[in-house]
Structure formats: C-alpha cells, structure tokens
Amino acid sequence: MDIGIVSMRYAKALMEYAKSTGTEERMYAEMRMLARSFEKHPDLRVALANPILTIREKFTQICAAAMGDTPAGREFSRFITLVLRNRREFFLQYICLSFLSLYRKSRHIGVAKLITAVPVSRKVLERIRENASHLLHAEMELQTEVDPSIEGGFVFDINDFRLDASIATQLKKVKNNSLIRIEESCKTVVGVWRLVI
C-alpha cells in the first residue's frame, strides 16, 4: 500500500478525532515532539520495525519519544494503540508529518528554519519570526539550527523558498566564477597561440 495514502488517512482521522475531543493543540504538541524524535533518533524507526518487541514495548517507546517523562494524553494513547494494533508503526513518522501539515494548514501556520554559524539571540529570532509572520499574513514557527560549516552568515528556509547568505556559499560562487574566467582566458590564449603558429 502507498505510504502517502495510508499516512494521510490516519492523519485525517486523527485530526477529526482531535477536533471532536477538543484536543487539537495538545495532539499537535505531542505529534510535533514525536516527529522531532524520529528526526533526531533514526534508530526509533528501526526499533519500531523490530518484530521481537511487543505492542506494549513499542507503545512505551513511542510515548517516551513523544512525551518524555510526562504521561501521554488519553487521545494520543488511543491513537498510538490503534496504529500498533493495525501494524502500521512503519507509517508512524509519515503520519506525524501529515498530521502536522494538516494542522498547520487549518491554522494558517507557516514554518521557517534559520541556520546560522553561531547561536542567535532570542530577541533577533523573535524579530525574524514577527517579520516573516507579517509578510506572509500567517502565524510562523521558527526553527533554528547552528551549523558551523556555513562559516558565517545565514540560510533561511521559509515554505518552499531558500535565502542562502552563508559565507560558504558565497565562497563557492567566487570559486566557480574564477574557474569560469580562468577557463575562458585559457581558451583565448589557445586561440591566439593557434593564430600565431
């Protein structure tokens, strides 16, 4: 069965269930944390695919990934139990992502990611979030990442747009432009050399 179809069916069902119980925000927070856990710990998917683990053990792992030490909400627990009983744990990461997408779309929430070489102050992050929110006429979630490999500057992803103002990218552009100019100069010299001979 197609991953996207299964994931979206479960995500839509979860969204309707959360709406009917009035727990959309809590479910969103729990699913967001679970999605982050899948992203940070790829071995979680491997563990869930392990046929030796019981449903109870998988349930405990999922709740720990989503909630930490806090007890899971009733609705979250029921949903995870449904997923595990139907043997759909393989799809759980995709279900999380689909649910987050549906929730954000229904609440007009945009997602932006700021990558910098050094940590940025909270004040600057808040200003960036507010400006992006104002420009897009939507509430914004701003995720941050520190990546020293960009050497300076920043990379800003918002929806499907990327603004790359990193030093590393600028240096690559300079290098590529220099190589192109050197190549053109070599062609010119070879051309002149052939005329002379």
Side-chain angles (χ1 to χ4, degrees):
M1 191 164 240
D2 187 25
I3 292 172
I5 293 172
V6 172
S7 303
M8 191 53 77
R9 280 183 188 163
Y10 276 84
K12 284 180 180 178
L14 178 59
M15 186 73 163
E16 290 301 316
Y17 179 59
K19 279 182 184 178
S20 69
T21 57
T23 57
E24 288 173 281
E25 289 180 27
R26 181 175 178 166
M27 187 65 71
Y28 177 70
E30 292 167 340
M31 294 301 271
R32 195 164 110 186
M33 187 63 178
L34 183 57
R36 283 185 186 158
S37 293
F38 274 118
E39 188 178 323
K40 288 182 181 179
H41 307 288
D43 53 324
L44 178 59
R45 285 191 67 196
V46 174
L48 292 178
N50 186 345
I52 296 172
L53 293 178
T54 65
I55 288 177
R56 193 78 192 134
E57 291 168 327
K58 290 179 182 182
F59 178 83
T60 304
Q61 283 187 348
I62 293 167
C63 289
M67 305 302 299
D69 295 333
T70 310
R74 179 176 168 262
E75 293 78 12
F76 181 80
S77 298
R78 290 184 71 193
F79 179 73
I80 296 302
T81 302
L82 173 73
V83 170
L84 292 172
R85 283 194 180 141
N86 290 340
R87 299 184 184 276
R88 298 293 195 207
E89 56 268 23
F90 171 78
F91 300 104
L92 191 55
Q93 182 177 11
Y94 305 108
I95 294 169
C96 288
L97 296 173
S98 296
F99 177 82
L100 295 176
S101 178
L102 288 172
Y103 181 87
R104 288 174 180 143
K105 193 177 282 186
S106 74
R107 298 286 175 109
H108 304 290
I109 298 173
V111 179
K113 185 174 187 178
L114 178 67
I115 303 169
T116 56
V118 294
V120 179
S121 71
R122 263 209 184 320
K123 185 177 179 182
V124 170
L125 291 175
E126 189 58 31
R127 204 166 91 214
I128 291 170
R129 191 191 64 72
E130 286 175 3
N131 287 335
S133 181
H134 177 72
L135 286 172
L136 296 176
H137 306 291
E139 185 181 331
M140 291 301 298
E141 286 181 4
L142 182 61
Q143 301 168 354
T144 59
E145 180 181 326
V146 175
D147 181 4
S149 72
I150 68 170
E151 300 177 17
F154 64 90
V155 178
F156 188 64
D157 292 323
I158 186 164
N159 296 334
D160 294 330
F161 177 74
R162 173 172 265 207
L163 174 62
D164 190 341
S166 66
I167 300 292
T169 300
Q170 300 305 320
L171 289 173
K172 283 180 190 174
K173 286 181 181 178
V174 168
K175 179 182 172 185
N176 288 341
N177 287 339
S178 297
L179 290 175
I180 290 171
R181 287 186 187 141
I182 290 170
E183 185 179 311
E184 289 172 356
S185 297
C186 288
K187 286 180 182 177
T188 304
V189 169
V190 168
V192 170
W193 182 257
R194 285 183 182 161
L195 288 175
V196 172
I197 296 179

